[in-house]
Amino acid sequence: MSLPLSPAGTGIDPMPMLPKPKPVTIRFTGRTYEQVRKHLLRDDLEEACFLFCHVVENQSPSKLIFLVDHVVILDPDCYIRRTPTSIVINPRAKNEVYSRFVKSPYNGLVNCHSHPFSHGAVAFSGTDHIDDLFHLSDQLDQLPRGKRFLGQKGAVYVASMVFGQNSLDARGFHPCYGGKPTLPAIEQIQVLGETIRIITPTGGKGAPLLNGEALRTYDRQIMAFGEEGHRVLASLRIGLAGCGGIGSVAANALCQLGARRLILVDPDYLGQSNLSRWQGARPQDVGKFKVKVLSRHLKDMVPEMKITAIPHRLTSVKAIRALKGCDLIIGGVDNHLARFMLNRLSVQYLIPYLDGATIIGRRKEDDQMELPSRLGVVVPGTTACLDCSQIRYYDHEEIAPHLYDPQTRKQLIALGYIQDHPEVASPAVLPLNMIAASMLLIEALNLVTGFHPLARSVAMDYLHPNRVTIRSDSDNFPEGPSSDCLTCTGYLGTGDSEPLPAINRARVKKLFPLQDPTS
């Protein structure tokens, strides 16, 4: 925070200058968003509610993400007045909401009300403007004080939303010492369901329209899926965890499809054996970080691509910090622990996750070759996660030893319950990787355009496509979150308020050593 210099010789203390307000995204599960809309627009009288949120402060780019977790609905006797054009809440009832917030682990409060008479582009009224300047200022002053009194540390964030019949508006509050506070428009609202729905508040700026060059470049794609879906894809910050055979193909295709912001995470170096199945690799790239090589290749294709290359393990602080700020995560990883971590990250930060995999093997009963590819889809609050799905995506017994504390782990090793076996290289070929990547990409397009009911999972064996190809979705297998799932019930939308699983890093390095670039 910078301070302006006081005028020379005036003896007047300078007023502190606050940094510019950060862009804000408010992220809902589809179920919570519909609950809020249904309540606020239940009749022709104005209505109100409060949203308790976990706010994630993203570093690069700097922005705030409100994860809506709890809706506070007031009883009818909490209102002094409720008419078609105004609403007044009893101060005692409002103070009770504030008290609940202060005692809770939440750090974001959104004040919501409705304009049921608005059927066009809803807007905050002059009265709303005065009320927000007063109430949001008071909340930003009093709520942090209450939390500090109870021993809670950290910032508190406040915002305001108004819902009309067909639109919404949203804004935050930005104090300004020595001047008037402002109510900056919120960048976007994200609603996660069968599609990623991006709503631009009426007071904000939407994604820019495609220029002539872009329209010509993506003409055939827009004919298939529409221009709006293309703009949504371009606006998403997509995390790609694993930049090997599947990941490099997926990254290359995402770039060609119109994605413009990628986070690449992979600790490995490009090896000699990667040249046979890796997109954009050259012999002179052997020995370099995969994420660096892939970043260069993608920027050669599309110079305006914004790419963050993270040559660290998925469990590293840098990787987690970057991925939790994404709008979509695509996994091309090759081990159970990585899938477990990405699944938890997805549910905890309300980020859709698509997981792809392949294997080359033989059936035990007849020694016939199998070439299966598999896709798993996690949309927090809508689908089952990888933990509670009836499909087995990873082995919990293999994951558990990574999570033991050192003393427990030492005892289990002594008793023979844990045996460390380093990762063994498995066979891989480019065509099979391309099949898995195609599954990922088609479902990513489906997620932003909604051209078909969203898949929960897809599995096929290229050698036996008619016998074992299975695609489950909301039409034939609407598998949702399980009420018995600890991940979906205990960590949904909790953000930074809950720690991610602590991983035994030394064991990870031992079991998953980095590839020898010469092999």
Side-chain angles (χ1 to χ4, degrees):
M1 182 182 296
S2 60
L3 299 177
L5 298 176
S6 60
T10 63
I12 300 175
D13 290 333
M15 298 301 293
M17 297 289 288
L18 290 176
K20 292 182 180 180
K22 297 179 179 180
V24 173
T25 292
I26 298 179
R27 188 175 291 162
F28 291 82
T29 64
R31 185 176 302 176
T32 302
Y33 181 75
E34 289 307 316
Q35 177 191 0
V36 172
R37 276 193 56 84
K38 184 177 180 180
H39 170 69
L40 292 178
L41 300 170
R42 63 191 176 96
D43 56 30
D44 60 358
L45 304 181
E46 282 202 12
E47 183 58 275
C49 68
F50 296 88
L51 309 180
F52 287 7
C53 310
H54 296 290
V55 180
V56 179
E57 188 166 0
N58 190 41
Q59 301 297 322
S60 180
S62 182
K63 69 182 297 184
L64 300 174
I65 304 172
F66 282 62
L67 306 177
V68 180
D69 187 48
H70 182 62
V71 182
V72 178
I73 294 175
L74 302 176
D75 292 330
D77 58 4
C78 291
Y79 299 109
I80 294 176
R81 183 176 71 251
R82 184 168 171 258
T83 75
T85 57
S86 68
I87 190 168
V88 179
I89 302 173
N90 187 312
R92 183 175 298 177
K94 191 172 289 188
N95 287 336
E96 176 59 30
V97 173
Y98 297 165
S99 177
R100 288 173 58 185
F101 179 83
V102 165
K103 295 174 183 176
S104 77
Y106 300 103
N107 62 338
L109 178 67
V110 182
N111 303 254
C112 298
H113 73 285
S114 63
H115 285 178
F117 52 84
S118 175
H119 291 267
V122 71
F124 289 100
S125 67
T127 301
D128 293 336
H129 188 78
I130 295 171
D131 287 346
D132 278 352
L133 285 175
F134 176 77
H135 292 299
L136 296 182
S137 176
D138 185 57
Q139 290 169 6
L140 203 56
D141 178 56
Q142 297 299 324
L143 297 179
R145 292 173 186 263
K147 284 187 172 288
R148 286 195 297 270
F149 179 78
L150 295 177
Q152 296 186 41
K153 299 180 180 179
V156 169
Y157 305 91
V158 295
S160 176
M161 296 181 71
V162 59
F163 284 72
Q165 296 292 342
N166 301 301
S167 60
L168 60 82
D169 204 359
R171 60 192 184 185
F173 179 83
H174 187 63
C176 183
Y177 298 128
K180 293 183 179 180
T182 59
L183 298 167
I186 282 173
E187 187 176 59
Q188 63 175 217
I189 310 297
Q190 294 182 359
V191 182
L192 307 184
E194 289 287 312
T195 61
I196 300 178
R197 186 180 172 194
I198 307 294
I199 303 173
T200 301
T202 55
K205 295 181 180 179
L209 296 177
L210 300 181
N211 58 30
E213 181 182 356
L215 288 172
R216 290 190 297 273
T217 301
Y218 300 104
D219 174 58
R220 302 298 181 91
Q221 184 175 313
I222 291 171
M223 288 172 62
F225 301 112
E227 184 177 338
E228 178 60 26
H230 181 84
R231 294 213 310 268
V232 171
L233 181 65
S235 73
L236 296 180
R237 194 165 187 253
I238 302 175
L240 184 62
C243 296
I246 295 175
S248 67
V249 175
N252 193 79
L254 282 169
C255 182
Q256 291 180 294
L257 286 169
R260 289 297 174 263
R261 296 190 293 173
L262 294 181
I263 307 295
L264 308 178
V265 178
D266 196 306
D268 226 339
Y269 301 94
L270 194 74
Q272 187 70 32
S273 65
N274 292 130
L275 297 179
S276 66
R277 62 189 186 279
W278 211 83
Q279 295 292 294
R282 306 169 304 182
Q284 59 265 40
D285 293 325
V286 171
K288 298 177 181 178
F289 282 115
K290 290 179 179 178
V291 293
K292 300 288 188 181
V293 177
L294 189 55
S295 178
R296 183 218 71 220
H297 169 63
L298 298 179
K299 280 186 172 290
D300 284 345
M301 293 170 58
V302 182
E304 63 267 28
M305 283 287 291
K306 296 180 180 178
I307 301 175
T308 301
I310 302 177
H312 298 281
R313 295 181 187 274
L314 175 62
T315 52
S316 70
V317 173
K318 288 186 177 181
I320 294 297
R321 184 182 297 155
L323 289 174
K324 72 182 185 182
C326 290
D327 304 303
L328 170 65
I329 296 175
I330 291 178
V333 295
D334 58 1
N335 64 83
H336 297 277
L337 179 63
R339 286 194 179 89
F340 169 79
M341 286 295 296
L342 290 170
N343 179 71
R344 175 69 173 272
L345 193 73
S346 165
V347 174
Q348 193 159 324
Y349 291 90
L350 301 185
I351 307 169
Y353 168 48
L354 307 180
D355 177 80
T358 65
I359 191 171
I360 298 175
R362 292 184 178 276
R363 290 201 299 262
K364 291 183 179 179
E365 58 270 24
D366 56 10
D367 199 38
Q368 289 295 306
M369 177 173 279
E370 295 179 306
L371 299 178
S373 298
R374 193 256 313 135
L375 168 68
V377 177
V378 179
V379 178
T382 296
T383 72
C385 76
L386 300 191
D387 269 340
C388 59
S389 174
Q390 295 182 45
I391 299 170
R392 189 181 185 189
Y393 288 97
Y394 42 64
D395 187 340
H396 287 271
E397 292 184 1
E398 181 175 315
I399 294 167
H402 294 286
L403 309 178
Y404 292 138
D405 63 87
Q407 184 60 34
T408 302
R409 177 176 155 67
K410 186 176 181 180
Q411 293 174 350
L412 291 174
I413 290 176
L415 294 171
Y417 287 110
I418 297 179
Q419 297 181 11
D420 285 345
H421 300 289
E423 179 87 344
V424 176
S426 56
V429 294
L430 178 60
L432 199 58
N433 291 338
M434 295 177 75
I435 291 174
S438 294
M439 289 180 173
L440 286 168
L441 295 162
I442 291 173
E443 217 54 55
L445 284 173
N446 195 12
L447 191 59
V448 299
T449 63
F451 63 82
H452 192 274
L454 184 69
R456 270 49 176 175
S457 67
V458 183
M460 67 165 288
D461 183 340
Y462 180 80
L463 297 181
H464 308 281
N466 297 322
R467 189 175 68 187
V468 295
T469 299
I470 301 172
R471 186 186 190 278
S472 67
D473 56 41
S474 56
D475 277 349
N476 60 20
F477 188 60
E479 187 178 40
S482 170
S483 59
D484 296 324
C485 176
L486 176 62
T487 301
C488 290
T489 58
Y491 297 103
L492 182 68
T494 56
D496 292 335
S497 69
E498 290 286 346
L500 288 166
I503 304 298
N504 187 316
R505 298 179 189 275
R507 185 172 191 267
V508 170
K509 290 180 180 180
K510 179 179 179 181
L511 295 187
F512 306 106
L514 297 183
Q515 178 176 314
D516 180 355
T518 61
S519 63

